[in-house]
Amino acid sequence: MTKEKIIYQGAEAKICKSKYMDFDVVKKRRIKKSYRIREIDNRLIFYRTKEESKLMTEARKFGVSVPIIFDVDTKNGIITMEFLVGKRIKDILNDLSEKERIRICKMIGESIAKLHNNNIIHGDITTSNMIYQDDRIHFIDFGLGEKNGEIEAKGVDLHVLMEAIESTHSRYSNCFDYVLEGYKNKLKNDGNLVIKKIAEIVKRGRYR
Amino acid sequence: MLCLGIEATAHTVGIGIVEQNNGKCNVLSNVLKIYRPEQGGIHPREAANHHTIYIADLIKESINVANVSFSEIDLISFSKGPGLGPCLRTGATAARALSLTLDKPLIGVNHCVAHLEIGRGTLNDCNDPVLLYTSGANTQVIAFAEGRYRVFGETLDIGIGNCLDKFGRTVGLDFPCGPAIEKLAVNGKKYLDLPYTIKGMDIAFSGLLTAAEQYYRANKSLEDICYSIQETTFAALTEVTERAMAHTEKDEVLLGGGVAANKKLREMVQIMAKERGASFFVPSKDLCIDNGAMIAWLGVLMYNSGIRLKVENSFIDQRFRTDMVDVTWRD
């Protein structure tokens, strides 16, 4: 039994560092929540573990960087995946030079476009869920994701990121414009349709 | 400093008098009247008429309960928004009249921020919480970041209270329907699958509402439906709150708004807090629901931080978002 060390405790999972054969891996264990009834808890843990591993595998196939998956255990809600040594975008974005920040934001947008070109909705695109390593943006945490080709779903997906940037990187909220620039460049269909949808979603919110 | 606060954003017209004591909020009086529509949802003009009838007597009552005189009041505070225009204007008009008559300064405050500040002001050790604010109209997860109260998650369609009320009206319960649903849910046994909609830290209830109404039309047990609605919506609310806590790295959680009176919701958020080693806070019920004391308290904080408002600029703002307020009273 390899010794496991919790390196991060998120809202729904514990991230433990471990070994799988000779590889450094992390095990993402979804935690049972005693505040919700068993029926809901089992449904969410099973479904999210399954969807997450499926979407990560697909994303990788379409050229978006994600950690390599070694093992999936849907019964216990554990995904074993490659350990990334990079930094979270959340932790570095505010400290980058203007030029570098713009470049990174465009890269983020391009990656999201690649996901959306293949109808992969991430479901929780925040700067905490992107890791910068080897000059690539790695996406993690697809647990709220789904396969969906609708413009609405793509708009909501980007709207989550817009809100995350506004709340966490409020001094650099123009970052989102550069994300959209990269997004439009790589999106196969007309990116303006999705961008128009985002504006509609914002207005749908209360007091907008 | 003594401040009189006037709340009139929706159903409730409330007057509260507070004083600042060692940086904490001391509530001297907090009186209110709630407009209850005879049928259907809130009618803004009817609600405003209701407030007009009661507001003057409530102001007198608040002075009597607090056992102070009008001349001792140092500041008049009112809900500037968000809310229903006719209701807000009633409260603002009363506030301006008082301010001019007593020759005391006036201040307009954000209703949602007041829900958070009253928790910090009245509860010990509640310093930097993530607020889960759940009421009829509002469902927001709010926390302080980079100089403002930021909305980390919120409903993408209707508020949780509105969801409960709409379902309650469909099945013939009286307003407010939350307490009736809570009672029925206690006897629910069987969980009926309902949509659980989370997008990042945002949340949506309209799909669940439709599904719940379909169960009712299919003659499923009302107790079971109520039980399933509570378990599903509150689990989702607890989850987005926990996500916001993890995201902002805060270890305090505060409840506010009318739905915070629900025991099931309190219990679930409390368990979540305990499991992640965080502190759980909930103000007394009269300070959770819409009330004048919280408006008065936020007025005190803003006034003391140097904010001034002229009567001629004392507009209301129906769409006054939480994150529009520069938080000058916190570091």
Side-chain angles (χ1 to χ4, degrees), chain B residues 146-183:
Chain B
E146 303 189 23
R148 289 194 176 192
Y149 284 114
R150 311 265 169 199
V151 179
F152 285 88
E154 65 185 311
T155 177
L156 294 171
D157 44 38
I158 54 177
I160 173 64
N162 192 221
C163 173
L164 298 174
D165 283 335
K166 276 185 174 153
F167 177 77
R169 278 209 296 278
T170 304
V171 305
L173 303 173
D174 285 336
F175 172 86
C177 305
I181 289 173
E182 184 175 5
K183 249 190 184 158

Side-chain angles (χ1 to χ4, degrees), chain A residues 11 59 69 75 132 136:
Chain A
I69 294 182
K75 188 164 169 279
Y132 182 67
R136 284 193 314 213

Side-chain angles (χ1 to χ4, degrees), chain A residues 2 6 8 10 13-14 28 33 35 39 43 48 55-56 63 67 75 106 109 129 143 164-166 181 194 200:
Chain A
T2 322
I6 298 176
Y8 182 74
K14 283 190 175 116
K28 175 170 180 174
K33 297 287 181 187
Y35 65 76
E39 291 94 322
R43 182 176 91 187
R48 288 178 180 172
L55 293 173
M56 280 170 74
K75 188 164 169 279
K106 284 186 186 165
N129 286 338
I165 288 177
E166 278 178 3
E181 205 180 310
V194 183
E200 188 191 313

Side-chain angles (χ1 to χ4, degrees), chain A residues 11-12 33-37 40 43-44 48 88 90 123-124 128 156 163 167-168 170 206-208, chain B residues 82 137-138 146 150 152 191 193-194 196 200 202 231 239 242-243 247 249 268 275 318-319 321:
Chain A
E12 63 161 350
K33 297 287 181 187
S34 37
Y35 65 76
R36 59 193 177 205
I37 54 174
I40 296 178
R43 182 176 91 187
L44 292 177
R48 288 178 180 172
R88 295 189 302 176
K90 181 190 173 189
D124 192 15
S128 317
V156 171
E163 288 190 313
S167 56
T168 313
S170 55
R206 299 198 69 85
Y207 317 125
R208 297 282 193 182
Chain B
N138 296 298
E146 303 189 23
R150 311 265 169 199
F152 285 88
Y191 178 71
D193 264 340
L194 286 170
Y196 182 102
D202 291 332
E231 291 295 339
E239 182 177 353
E242 185 169 16
R243 281 175 178 269
H247 182 78
E249 293 162 12
M268 285 165 81
E275 285 183 354
Q318 284 146 281
R319 300 180 176 205
R321 285 184 57 85

